[in-house]
Amino acid sequence: MEFLLSGVAACGACVFTNPLEVVKTRMQLQGELSRRGSYRVMYRNVFQALGCIVRVEGLGGLQRGLGAGMLYQFFMNGVRLGLYALCDSAGLNSTEGRVSAAKSTITGATSGVIGAVISSPIYLGALHALVEIHRQHGILGLWRGSSAAVPRVSVGSAAQLTTFSSCREFITDLQVFSEDSWLVPLSAGMVSSVAVVLAMTPFDVVSTRLYNQPVDLLGQGQLYRGFMDCFSRTLRTEGLSGLYKGLGASYFRLGPHTILSLLFWDQLRYVYHTYSY
């Protein structure tokens, strides 16, 4: 049930944030391996990009890949948050009844790795795309780009769940809101959203580029050899700002998604554990 509740919470958040995922991906891919000023900037900021997509492709353009996105969220966050919840219930995230930053970071990162590995093929596309990838590049082709997804989700998961658990406990201690108020996870999620975006954006840029790069007949990437190659070439060619391309779009997508998914996750678990016994 923990896995199911986690997956449903993530899917609910995905419906609201998928348009920003579309914008974020397009902003991260523009000017790939080109020095600043040497290419045409089609998407200048989040709001201009949203307007441009709606004007050219209609409202449907903002929900491209929603089905695949929800499937990915269900498996990735269902596994990631579900495992973390089980660890939390077993007392593995705390010391003497209080949240332990070190233990929470380890369980958050570990659950992130497992979630990323399991869901990596789904990130590549819908069912017909997966069948075609398998036909051309074999079973391992379904995990193309996972070398970036694993550290990305691991770092983001550790930052997100550690700050959320710690802030939730801190806000509860302050007694600003009643202990079972939805405002407690909402406030903790808002703090967590900032931490996760700052931690994940460089990994997100690399992951997006590895997943979207063209491949040869053997399934090898034609632009990058792997995570470190993409990271170093982006940093060398585009500077530190290249690793934070689409930062605004990343926050507008990851921020609300973090807040909503953690809020839905917390409240669904609260309702289930309150009324199922």
Side-chain angles (χ1 to χ4, degrees):
M1 183 56 70
E2 290 288 6
F3 293 106
L4 178 61
L5 295 175
S6 300
V8 170
C11 286
C14 184
V15 173
F16 294 97
T17 60
N18 189 66
L20 296 167
E21 173 71 17
V22 172
V23 170
K24 180 212 69 169
T25 299
R26 295 192 184 189
M27 291 185 72
Q28 288 179 343
L29 289 175
Q30 70 176 350
E32 187 171 4
L33 291 183
S34 299
R35 296 188 182 280
R36 178 175 292 185
S38 64
Y39 60 92
R40 180 188 175 192
V41 179
M42 294 184 61
Y43 306 114
R44 296 187 296 275
N45 55 61
V46 177
F47 302 106
Q48 182 268 339
L50 284 169
C52 181
I53 293 171
V54 170
R55 188 167 58 253
V56 176
E57 305 172 42
L59 289 174
L62 293 177
Q63 288 291 10
R64 285 184 181 273
L66 177 61
M70 292 182 68
L71 187 63
Y72 171 73
Q73 289 295 329
F74 183 83
F75 280 95
M76 196 274 282
N77 280 312
V79 171
R80 185 177 70 88
L81 296 178
L83 282 175
Y84 186 84
L86 292 177
C87 291
D88 194 49
S89 299
L92 300 180
N93 299 332
S94 58
T95 300
E96 297 181 354
R98 304 288 295 179
V99 174
S100 167
K103 292 180 179 179
S104 184
T105 297
I106 293 172
T107 56
T110 302
S111 62
V113 169
I114 297 172
V117 171
I118 290 176
S119 62
S120 185
I122 302 171
Y123 193 74
L124 285 173
L127 181 60
H128 69 277
L130 297 179
V131 171
E132 184 63 21
I133 291 169
H134 179 269
R135 187 183 67 80
Q136 292 187 18
H137 307 296
I139 189 68
L140 294 181
L142 297 176
W143 273 268
R144 178 167 62 87
S146 61
S147 62
V150 168
R152 167 182 172 270
V153 177
S154 176
V155 169
S157 182
Q160 182 195 68
L161 294 174
T162 300
T163 54
F164 177 73
S165 298
S166 299
C167 288
R168 194 187 193 292
E169 184 178 75
F170 177 72
I171 294 169
T172 300
D173 289 344
L174 291 177
Q175 298 183 340
V176 178
F177 311 112
S178 61
E179 186 174 350
D180 58 352
S181 172
W182 61 272
L183 292 172
V184 175
L186 177 65
S187 302
M190 292 174 70
V191 176
S192 178
S193 69
V194 176
V196 74
V197 170
L198 291 177
M200 281 186 71
T201 296
F203 296 89
D204 201 27
V205 170
V206 173
S207 178
T208 297
R209 293 185 172 188
L210 285 178
Y211 274 113
N212 284 276
Q213 69 172 327
V215 296
D216 58 25
L217 295 177
L218 297 177
Q220 301 298 314
Q222 295 182 346
L223 295 178
Y224 314 107
R225 294 189 300 273
F227 176 84
M228 287 308 301
D229 181 52
C230 181
F231 186 94
S232 61
R233 290 182 65 188
T234 300
L235 182 63
R236 187 169 60 250
T237 306
E238 304 172 51
L240 184 61
S241 62
L243 292 173
Y244 278 92
K245 272 190 175 178
L247 178 62
S250 290
Y251 182 78
F252 278 107
R253 182 265 167 185
L254 285 174
H257 190 275
T258 293
I259 296 169
L260 290 174
S261 60
L262 292 177
L263 174 62
F264 294 162
W265 178 54
D266 183 273
Q267 292 300 289
L268 285 173
R269 293 185 70 219
Y270 172 77
V271 170
Y272 173 71
H273 290 295
T274 299
Y275 296 104
S276 62
Y277 298 105

